[in-house]
Amino acid sequence: DIEVLLHCASQPSIESSQRLRFGCFRYFYFSLEQQFEQAKLPVFNNRWSEVYSFTPNRGPEYELLAPEAMDPTAMLKPLHEVSDMCSADEADMWKTACPVPFTCGPVAAAGSESAVIVCMPKLGRASCFELSRAIQQDESVNLSRALEFRIDAQWGRKLDSALSKWPDRGPVEAQEVVVVLHLFGEGSIAKALAHCRAVAGDNASSAVYHSQTREESLLMQ
């Protein structure tokens, strides 16, 4: 009987386990984002929901928490009560200021209208965070998954194939970082467009791409 709010850049693996429940990492104190950077943990690459079991024939070993159950205050004592490294005001900011985007996983997104947003390097990392947080604060849509990758030969080919119908995008240089957001919910495509325009402004046509076809979805696999 273990509940985990997890950040994991690789596929989390379990073996000979029972009654595990996984959710997306949600926490905050003011130095947390800096600590993620120092540890070289990519906050947009959180594969918490892609659990792999080495013993799949043992029956159900785990489940994914529903979004409303991913509440750290229900699992842990408030950090400010056990340590002086965090104030009560900081602890209450976990919903809006956690450096890891809050994603709901593929089960929650199944069967819903969805959209993929591709954030090119031109948009800038700060704007990627702003965009993901705007989506998280929009109660009509949710993030299923986020992804970031550094352009190499393999990812360059994959990106070119997925975005071949996007004439306005500029060139992407090797080692530049692209961020992809997959959102779902009623009106996702229209909401994706609205949030992209609000964040990117005049750069929207060349910095972000919003659509949902099989080709763009392949970026998330």
Side-chain angles (χ1 to χ4, degrees), residues 12-20 51-62:
S13 300
I14 59 174
E15 183 174 3
S16 301
S17 305
Q18 291 181 327
R19 297 186 298 277
L20 301 179
V51 181
Y52 178 81
S53 173
F54 284 101
T55 50
N57 296 326
R58 290 173 55 92
E61 296 179 282
Y62 73 93

Side-chain angles (χ1 to χ4, degrees), residues 64-83:
L64 303 181
L65 291 169
E68 60 272 15
M70 301 180 201
D71 181 350
T73 62
M75 301 180 186
L76 302 169
K77 285 186 177 181
L79 187 58
H80 67 274
E81 292 184 6
V82 297
S83 171

Side-chain angles (χ1 to χ4, degrees), residues 172-199:
V172 182
E173 302 296 332
Q175 299 304 304
E176 287 189 311
V177 174
V178 173
V179 172
V180 185
L181 306 172
H182 185 199
L183 61 152
F184 68 94
E186 185 175 353
S188 289
I189 296 176
K191 289 284 187 176
L193 174 60
H195 286 304
C196 289
R197 285 177 172 170
V199 171

Side-chain angles (χ1 to χ4, degrees), residues 80-206:
H80 67 274
E81 292 184 6
V82 297
S83 171
D84 59 4
M85 67 179 292
C86 176
S87 68
D89 290 339
E90 288 178 74
D92 287 338
M93 294 172 63
W94 60 269
K95 285 186 178 181
T96 58
C98 177
V100 177
F102 175 49
T103 55
C104 299
V107 176
S112 302
E113 179 184 342
S114 63
V116 171
I117 300 176
V118 182
C119 305
M120 305 300 278
K122 181 178 180 180
L123 183 63
R125 193 163 187 81
S127 293
C128 290
F129 279 110
E130 183 182 352
L131 180 56
S132 68
R133 286 172 178 160
I135 294 169
Q136 292 172 69
Q137 293 169 16
D138 187 334
E139 295 183 355
S140 64
V141 293
N142 291 283
L143 278 177
S144 169
R145 185 183 168 197
L147 167 72
E148 68 175 275
F149 55 87
R150 195 172 295 277
I151 292 294
D152 57 17
Q154 179 180 357
W155 274 112
R157 289 191 297 270
K158 199 170 185 179
L159 188 69
D160 286 341
S161 176
L163 303 184
S164 60
K165 298 177 182 178
W166 185 12
D168 295 330
R169 69 183 178 97
V172 182
E173 302 296 332
Q175 299 304 304
E176 287 189 311
V177 174
V178 173
V179 172
V180 185
L181 306 172
H182 185 199
L183 61 152
F184 68 94
E186 185 175 353
S188 289
I189 296 176
K191 289 284 187 176
L193 174 60
H195 286 304
C196 289
R197 285 177 172 170
V199 171
D202 294 338
N203 290 328
S205 63
S206 60

Side-chain angles (χ1 to χ4, degrees), residues 162 211-221:
S211 182
Q212 175 59 320
T213 69
R214 182 176 180 277
E215 286 74 20
E216 288 89 43
S217 297
L218 288 174
L219 283 171
M220 304 302 295
Q221 297 178 5

